[in-house]
């Protein structure tokens, strides 16, 4: 009965969080790959790709199969996240005893986690990673609770742990780092005797899992040799690290939209300080209630677990600084379940205290988390790049015989049916313009319409912006991350 309730609650929450919003740049890349008609053509396109799509083998294969069953609409791509989150959330909730307050608190925190809500609505592997990490955390909790590890329940928990590790490894190259951290926690949680017993009694499960893990490691080595890399458009800075914490801890829905923060940085928080400050205080109180007792007791095991959870983010941030890769909150998605575990312990400890302020902190945290979730889902300021609307304008202009320049992701045009050409555009095709020079633009036929997005990605030299100004174009429509420019007619 408890399993059915947990699964039903997770499904209902997921269906609220998931929408049919427009796909943005990265999602369009996923969609274009997934829409290949055969497995052979899919793999051929993947092998030619030098972006991170090649380094997400399990997720990309999963979405390809999903589209063959459920179609390739925005809703379908987002819905593909549901099975992973439901499995992880149910396992996390049920890892707490039915008696007492921890299970309902854990249920609220995982079901109304702002980070999970945002990435449930995105066609990328981050909800998959959250679900896999929830499986890892939940199974480690159940195994560490004692009892015989030789029974069927022990085998189920070992299988769930290994499934979580395999999914993390296959979800992305960064997932390998998190899988290593999960194995490190396993080594810390159990004594040598317990670990030896665990390995011996369930040896076939461990051996079965070793194959996929090593297979993914070899695969990633091949992708690096092929030259697949993350975008080097930006690098990891102190500001980006701040925003990672801002997103992971659940602040995102309480403040400005991501596009505004991307353009103006911390200054965008002006006008949102009150809810952000209240949530920050509540978050600090809950984390303090969870962490300080272990630190005061100088529990070495506790500290070792914390260290294992902290190493992957340090490695990712360090790598980002060295290779000019900007680490963002989504790259640390597997760290969300350990944070939820801390929040659950902290909220439970505070709720058990007789003082009213302690319970008030829990109520504020839970209420603001819910508000953050709903804001991320329904507030217009949190909309992503609106490729669907921009593509509709481009298609209409092309049907009317207007020359169009497309200064945005080519994958977005492909998914939304805008024919683009990278050389000379023929009638009915938009000309794809990316990071041009002013000289190159002067040799092109002036368009009637320019559809531009994110100048730092597609107009890094600001040549197109200068061309637009000098040639007398004016904005006629604006969508999230897009401006449509039309030439003035005299």
């Amino acid at each position: 009965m408890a399993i059915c309730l947990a699964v039903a609650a997770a499904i209902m929450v997921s269906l609220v969080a998931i929408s049919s919003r427009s796909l943005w740049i990265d999602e369009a890349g996923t969609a274009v790959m997934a829409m290949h008609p055969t497995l052979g053509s899919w793999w051929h396109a993947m092998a030619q790709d030098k972006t991170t799509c090649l380094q997400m083998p399990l997720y990309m294969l999963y979405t390809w199969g999903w589209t063959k069953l459920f179609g390739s609409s925005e809703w379908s791509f987002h819905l593909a996240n549901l099975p992973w989150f439901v499995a992880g959330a149910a396992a996390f909730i049920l890892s707490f005893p039915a008696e007492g307050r921890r299970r309902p608190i854990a249920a609220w925190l995982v079901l109304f986690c702002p980070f999970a809500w945002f990435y449930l609505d995105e066609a990328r592997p981050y909800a998959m990673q959250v679900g896999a990490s929830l499986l890892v955390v939940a199974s480690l909790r159940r195994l560490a609770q004692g009892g015989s590890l030789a029974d069927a329940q022990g085998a189920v928990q070992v299988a769930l742990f290994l499934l979580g590790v395999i999914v993390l490894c296959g979800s992305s190259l960064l997932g390998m780092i998190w899988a290593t951290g999960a194995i490190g926690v396993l080594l810390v949680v159990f004594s040598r005797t317990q670990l030896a017993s665990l390995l011996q009694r369930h040896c076939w499960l461990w051996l079965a899992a070793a194959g996929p893990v090593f297979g993914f490691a070899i695969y990633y080595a091949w992708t690096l040799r092929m030259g697949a890399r993350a975008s080097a458009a930006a690098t990891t800075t102190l500001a980006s690290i701040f925003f990672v914490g801002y997103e992971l801890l659940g602040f995102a829905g309480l403040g400005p939209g991501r596009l505004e923060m991307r353009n103006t940085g911390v200054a965008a928080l002006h006008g949102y300080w009150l809810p952000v400050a209240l949530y920050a205080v509540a978050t600090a109180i809950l984390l303090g209630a969870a962490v300080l007792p272990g630190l005061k007791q100088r529990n070495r095991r506790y500290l070792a677990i914390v260290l294992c959870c902290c190493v992957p983010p340090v490695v990712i941030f360090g790598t980002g600084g060295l290779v000019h890769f900007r680490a963002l909150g989504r790259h640390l998605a597997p760290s969300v379940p350990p944070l939820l575990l801390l929040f659950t312990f902290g909220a439970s400890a505070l709720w058990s205290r007789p003082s009213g302020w302690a319970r008030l902190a829990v109520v504020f945290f839970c209420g603001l988390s819910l508000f953050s979730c709903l804001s991320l889902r329904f507030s217009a300021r949190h909309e992503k790049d609106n490729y669907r609307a921009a593509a509709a304008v481009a298609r209409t202009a092309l049907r009317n015989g207007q020359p169009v320049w497309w200064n945005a992701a080519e994958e977005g045009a492909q998914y939304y049916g805008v024919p683009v050409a990278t050389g000379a555009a023929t009638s009915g095709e938009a000309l794809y313009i990316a990071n041009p020079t002013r000289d190159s633009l002067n040799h092109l036929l002036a368009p009637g319409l320019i559809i531009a997005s994110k100048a730092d990605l597609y107009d890094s030299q600001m040549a197109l912006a200068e061309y637009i100004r000098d040639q007398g174009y004016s904005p006629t429509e604006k969508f999230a991350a897009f401006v449509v420019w039309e030439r003035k007619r005299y």
Side-chain angles (χ1 to χ4, degrees):
M1 183 63 178
I3 295 177
C4 294
L5 287 174
V7 169
I11 290 174
M12 287 189 291
V13 165
S14 298
L15 291 177
V16 175
I18 292 170
S19 76
S20 57
R21 282 176 173 173
S22 169
L23 304 187
W24 73 291
I25 301 169
D26 290 359
E27 293 180 283
T30 298
V32 169
M33 288 292 184
M35 290 166 64
H36 281 275
T38 66
L39 190 60
S41 64
W42 169 83
W43 173 245
H44 178 75
M46 283 281 289
Q48 302 302 313
D49 189 83
K50 295 298 185 292
T51 68
T52 53
C53 286
L54 185 61
Q55 296 176 328
M56 301 175 179
L58 180 60
Y59 177 75
M60 298 302 290
L61 180 60
Y62 170 71
T63 53
W64 178 85
W66 181 274
T67 60
K68 303 305 169 282
L69 294 174
F70 303 106
S72 55
S73 67
E74 296 96 333
W75 167 260
S76 177
F77 277 114
H78 295 159
L79 193 66
N81 293 317
L82 184 146
W84 303 103
F85 179 73
V86 169
F92 182 79
I93 293 168
L94 297 174
S95 70
F96 294 90
E99 303 78 18
R101 65 187 65 85
R102 281 189 176 175
R103 180 175 286 185
I105 289 175
W108 180 277
L109 293 176
V110 72
L111 295 178
F112 299 109
C113 169
F115 185 95
W117 271 56
F118 187 83
Y119 288 104
L120 272 167
D121 202 33
E122 181 159 313
R124 296 296 276 175
Y126 311 115
M128 172 189 274
Q129 292 181 336
V130 170
S133 187
L134 283 168
L135 288 177
V136 168
V137 169
S139 57
L140 283 175
R141 273 190 47 75
R142 295 290 291 271
L143 289 170
Q145 285 169 0
S148 173
L149 297 177
D151 59 10
Q153 187 60 239
V156 169
Q157 298 307 318
V158 170
L160 288 177
F161 173 80
L162 293 174
L163 174 62
V165 168
I166 291 170
V167 172
L168 283 174
C169 289
S171 63
S172 74
L173 175 59
L174 293 180
M176 291 289 292
I177 301 173
W178 292 102
T180 303
I183 293 171
V185 172
L186 176 72
L187 298 176
V188 171
V189 167
F190 300 101
S191 66
R192 291 183 180 179
T193 303
Q194 289 175 316
L195 191 58
S197 175
L198 195 64
L199 292 171
Q200 182 179 4
R201 291 174 177 175
H202 308 290
C203 61
W204 290 110
L205 289 173
W206 297 98
L207 290 174
V213 171
F214 284 114
F216 285 128
I218 294 170
Y219 173 85
Y220 290 128
W222 172 77
T223 65
L224 292 172
R225 186 177 179 183
M226 291 288 291
R229 296 289 187 275
S231 171
T235 188
T236 300
T237 62
L238 290 177
S240 65
I241 293 174
F242 166 79
F243 286 118
V244 165
Y246 177 89
E247 183 178 12
L248 290 176
L249 293 170
F251 287 85
L254 302 174
R258 291 165 186 251
L259 292 173
E260 186 180 353
M261 294 191 74
R262 188 178 187 272
N263 294 329
T264 59
V266 178
L269 291 171
H270 179 71
Y272 299 94
W273 286 114
L274 180 59
V276 168
L278 289 174
Y279 189 73
V281 171
T283 299
I285 292 173
L286 261 68
L287 289 178
V291 174
L292 290 179
L295 294 177
K296 288 179 179 179
Q297 296 170 8
R298 296 183 180 180
N299 187 328
R300 293 184 178 180
R301 186 183 182 190
Y302 184 84
L303 294 174
I305 293 172
V306 172
L307 181 63
C308 290
C309 292
C310 290
V311 167
V314 171
V315 172
I316 291 171
F317 286 138
T319 303
L322 289 174
V323 302
H324 302 290
F325 156 71
R326 182 171 61 182
L328 300 170
R330 58 181 178 261
H331 301 131
L332 277 72
S335 66
V336 170
L339 285 173
L340 291 174
L341 189 62
L342 287 177
F343 285 139
T344 301
F345 289 152
S348 301
L350 289 170
W351 199 260
S352 64
R353 296 180 184 179
S355 58
W357 70 265
R359 292 192 173 189
L360 186 62
V362 176
V363 171
F364 260 104
F365 182 85
C366 292
L368 288 171
S369 293
L370 174 60
F371 180 82
S372 185
C373 290
L374 295 175
S375 176
L376 287 170
R377 171 62 180 85
F378 296 106
S379 176
R381 72 177 186 271
H382 295 293
E383 287 185 3
K384 303 169 189 175
D385 309 16
N386 198 340
Y387 272 80
R388 180 168 56 202
V393 172
R395 292 195 305 269
T396 299
L398 290 172
R399 283 196 300 268
N400 293 334
Q402 277 188 290
V404 175
W405 286 2
W406 180 266
N407 181 235
E410 190 175 6
E411 295 85 355
Q414 291 174 345
Y415 178 74
Y416 284 108
V418 178
V420 293
T422 54
T426 60
S427 177
E429 289 184 322
L431 184 62
Y432 175 59
I433 302 289
N435 296 314
T437 63
R438 183 55 195 270
D439 185 61
S440 67
L441 294 178
N442 289 333
H443 289 83
L444 297 174
L445 175 67
L449 214 64
I450 298 174
I451 298 175
S453 176
K454 292 183 175 176
D456 59 327
L457 295 180
Y458 303 108
D459 189 24
S460 57
Q461 300 180 52
M462 300 305 291
L464 182 61
E466 183 181 346
Y467 179 90
I468 287 171
R469 184 184 65 248
D470 293 347
Q471 297 297 319
Y473 287 83
S474 58
T476 57
E477 293 187 79
K478 291 185 178 181
F479 312 111
F482 277 91
V483 179
V484 178
W485 299 90
E486 189 169 5
R487 196 168 194 176
K488 295 178 182 177
R489 297 175 182 178
Y490 299 98

